[in-house]
Amino acid sequence: MTRMKNKPELLAPAGNMEKCKIALRYGADAVYLGGKMFGLRAFANNFSIEEIAEAAAYAHGLGKKVYVTVNIFAHNEDLARLPDYLLELQQAGVDALLISDLGVWNVARQTVPEMPLHVSTQANTSNWAAVQAWKALGAERVVLARELSLEEIREIGARTDVELEAFVHGAMCISYSGRCLLSSYLTGRDGNRGACAQACRWEYSLIEKNRSDEGFDIEEDERGTYVMNSKDLCLIDHIPDLIEAGICSLKIEGRMKSIHYVATVVSVYRKAIDAYWNDPKKYQVPDEWRQELEKVSHRPYTKGFAFGKPGSDGQVYTTSSYEQTHDFVGIVLAYDADAKRAYIEQRNNVKNGEVLELLMPDGELFPLTLEDMRNADGESIDCAPHAQQKFSIVSDRALMPDSLLRRKVIC
C-alpha cells in the first residue's frame, strides 16, 4: 500500500450554525450541511443562503471547507428554482455540492461549471465501474454506499483515481443507501425529498386480513418487535483499513444530533486520524475513546457491512430508544483570566458544588467542580435551573470557549 500524500479529511455534520462551528472547533476539516431546499434532512434546522455564506466564511478563516447537500431525488417542479439556488450557493462561497440525482447533476454542470461536485451516498455507488462513470461526468469525489465491505472498498480504491468518501460513524438506514418509501406511504412525508419520519424505528404488529381488529406482536428470536431498527455504525477500530483502502474523507453521520454528539464524536475521530497519521503501525484504540463514544446518545454499535452483510446482531429488537452514559449540561461561553471566572450557558439543571466532567475543543478531558456560582448579575446562586441560564464559576484553570460540561447518568 502506497501511503496517501495528504492526510485524510475528517468530515462532520452541521445541522445548524452552532453545530457547524462546534464541529470545526473540535477538529473537523470540513462540514456538510443543507440549505432550506433540495436537501435530505428537511427537519434539521438547515441554513439560509446568508447563513451558508457565514458558515463558509467561518470555515475558510480556519482553513477548512463547507459542502452543501443538493441531494433530493428531484421531481419536475423542483427544477424551476434549482439554477438560481446553485448560483446563490456559488456566490456564498461553498466548496462543493453533494448530488445524487443525474438531472440535478446535469443542471449543476451547466449552471455552475467550476463548482466541485461530489456524488452523494444516496446515489448508492457500490462498484468501481459506477465510480469511473461518475468521474467521466465530472465528479471530483464519490461518497460510497454504506453497504460496502472493506474488501470491496479496497478494490474500488485500486481501480479508480477519484476521491473516495465513506461513513465511519452514525445511524444506519434500513433501506439501501437511504432509498425508502416507508415514510411516504405511512405519513405522506417523502424521505427521498428530505422529509423522512423514521418510520422504520416504530413498533409494529402483524394484522391478519380477516381479523383487522387484532394485532399480534412481531417477534424475532423472541426478543421483541423492532424489526427494522438498525444499530449505529462505529468503525473507530478500522481507521487504518479505510485509509489504506483509499478513503480520503472519513464522514460522520448526524445533522439532526446535538452539539454534544457532534463535539464528542468529532473529537474522538480527530484523535484517531491524527494517531494513525503520526504512526500508522502503532495505531490502537484506547479505552478512553470507546468510553467517549458511549457518552453520547446512540444505539448499540455495529461494524455495519465492513466485514460482510450484517446478520441478526446488526439490529436492535427490544427498543428504539437511545442509550448514553452522560448528559450534556452546559457550554463555556468565555473565560476571564484576570477574574479567573468561566462564563457558562446552562443546558440542564446544575448545582453549586457539583462535580462535572469537562471536554475542551482541543480534546482535553478533566473533572470540574462548580464553585462560587453567580448569576448574570453577579449574585451568588445555589443552582442554575432555568433553560439556557447564564452563570459563572471560579476556575483557576483557563477553560476554552465552547468547552462542554457533562454529568454522568445515574441509573
Side-chain angles (χ1 to χ4, degrees):
M1 167 69 189
T2 301
R3 193 178 187 200
M4 297 177 69
K5 294 182 180 179
N6 298 317
K7 193 174 187 178
E9 174 185 85
L10 177 57
L11 179 56
N16 58 31
M17 188 65 71
E18 183 182 38
K19 295 173 189 176
C20 173
K21 293 180 177 180
I22 286 290
L24 295 170
R25 287 270 287 146
Y26 275 77
D29 299 303
V31 294
Y32 63 100
L33 54 87
K36 297 295 187 181
M37 58 185 79
F38 301 111
L40 281 179
R41 285 295 179 270
F43 299 106
N45 291 345
N46 291 330
F47 292 69
S48 67
I49 287 295
E50 293 75 19
E51 289 171 328
I52 291 174
E54 180 185 344
Y58 181 83
H60 295 164
L62 299 173
K64 301 183 178 186
K65 296 181 178 181
V66 168
Y67 309 139
V68 175
T69 59
V70 191
N71 59 348
I72 65 167
F73 299 129
H75 289 241
N76 291 332
E77 63 267 25
D78 295 315
L79 299 179
R81 177 76 178 85
L82 181 60
D84 287 343
Y85 180 63
L86 296 173
L87 289 169
E88 290 170 353
L89 291 177
Q90 180 175 259
Q91 184 65 30
V94 304
D95 296 284
L97 305 179
L98 283 144
I99 297 174
S100 58
D101 180 88
L102 191 57
V104 173
W105 185 278
N106 195 46
V107 172
R109 280 270 64 93
Q110 295 173 7
T111 307
V112 286
E114 302 304 316
M115 175 69 71
L117 301 185
H118 296 178
V119 181
S120 168
T121 190
Q122 300 296 135
N124 61 281
T125 305
S126 56
N127 62 78
W128 58 262
V131 174
Q132 289 182 345
W134 279 113
K135 183 189 177 184
L137 292 173
E140 181 174 288
R141 179 184 296 181
V142 176
V143 187
L144 297 176
R146 288 176 173 89
E147 296 79 12
L148 291 176
S149 67
L150 282 166
E151 183 179 350
E152 290 173 307
I153 293 173
R154 288 190 196 98
E155 183 174 0
I156 292 172
R159 301 185 68 156
T160 61
D161 60 353
V162 67
E163 292 182 4
L164 300 177
E165 178 178 306
F167 282 92
V168 295
H169 196 95
M172 297 280 284
C173 182
I174 196 67
S175 297
Y176 208 100
S177 290
R179 294 194 170 197
C180 178
L181 296 176
L182 194 60
S183 175
S184 180
Y185 177 74
L186 293 177
T187 70
R189 288 162 44 174
D190 190 347
N192 296 317
R193 300 176 81 184
C196 182
Q198 293 197 332
C200 56
R201 307 292 184 181
W202 299 351
E203 185 174 0
Y204 290 90
S205 296
L206 181 67
I207 301 294
E208 198 277 324
K209 180 179 179 181
N210 295 319
R211 297 177 176 83
S212 59
D213 59 337
E214 296 182 36
F216 302 92
D217 284 347
I218 302 173
E219 294 188 359
E220 187 155 346
D221 296 336
E222 299 181 350
R223 285 179 287 185
T225 62
Y226 300 93
V227 294
M228 296 181 286
N229 189 38
S230 173
K231 293 181 178 179
D232 284 358
L233 181 67
C234 178
L235 293 179
I236 191 70
D237 290 293
H238 303 288
I239 298 300
D241 298 317
L242 288 161
I243 295 172
E244 291 164 14
I247 298 300
C248 73
S249 180
L250 304 173
K251 187 172 191 174
I252 296 167
E253 184 276 339
R255 275 189 283 158
M256 301 191 58
K257 298 286 192 177
S258 69
I259 63 168
H260 179 217
Y261 175 95
V262 171
T264 302
V265 177
V266 167
S267 180
V268 170
Y269 279 88
R270 175 75 277 152
K271 293 173 185 175
I273 293 172
D274 291 348
Y276 168 82
W277 196 250
N278 292 334
D279 195 344
K281 293 182 179 179
K282 292 185 178 180
Y283 180 83
Q284 59 182 350
V285 179
D287 289 341
E288 178 184 305
W289 296 358
R290 299 187 197 282
Q291 291 166 6
E292 281 292 288
L293 295 177
E294 293 295 334
K295 291 174 183 177
V296 298
S297 178
H298 68 286
R299 298 180 183 90
Y301 289 127
T302 175
K303 297 181 187 298
F305 290 78
F307 298 95
K309 296 179 180 179
S312 59
D313 60 351
Q315 305 293 314
V316 183
Y317 303 104
T318 55
T319 179
S320 60
S321 298
Y322 293 87
E323 58 185 52
Q324 64 189 88
T325 64
H326 286 66
D327 287 330
F328 170 42
V329 297
I331 183 168
V332 176
L333 302 177
Y335 180 78
D336 185 334
D338 294 329
K340 293 189 176 181
R341 295 196 72 83
Y343 295 85
I344 298 167
E345 182 177 279
Q346 180 257 46
R347 297 298 174 93
N348 207 323
N349 192 322
V350 291
K351 298 179 179 179
N352 193 49
E354 192 170 3
V355 180
L356 301 174
E357 181 179 83
L358 186 129
L359 173 66
M360 296 215 287
D362 64 0
E364 190 175 2
L365 186 72
F366 55 89
L368 178 72
T369 302
L370 301 185
E371 295 181 299
D372 190 21
M373 285 180 65
R374 297 180 180 273
N375 63 20
D377 295 323
E379 302 165 335
S380 294
I381 55 175
D382 293 325
C383 64
H386 307 300
Q388 295 187 284
Q389 180 177 350
K390 293 180 174 60
F391 66 94
S392 68
I393 60 169
V394 66
S395 175
D396 291 333
R397 186 169 188 168
L399 306 184
M400 297 174 67
D402 295 326
S403 296
L404 303 186
L405 282 74
R406 305 165 168 152
R407 176 193 295 124
K408 185 174 177 62
V409 175
I410 300 177
C411 300

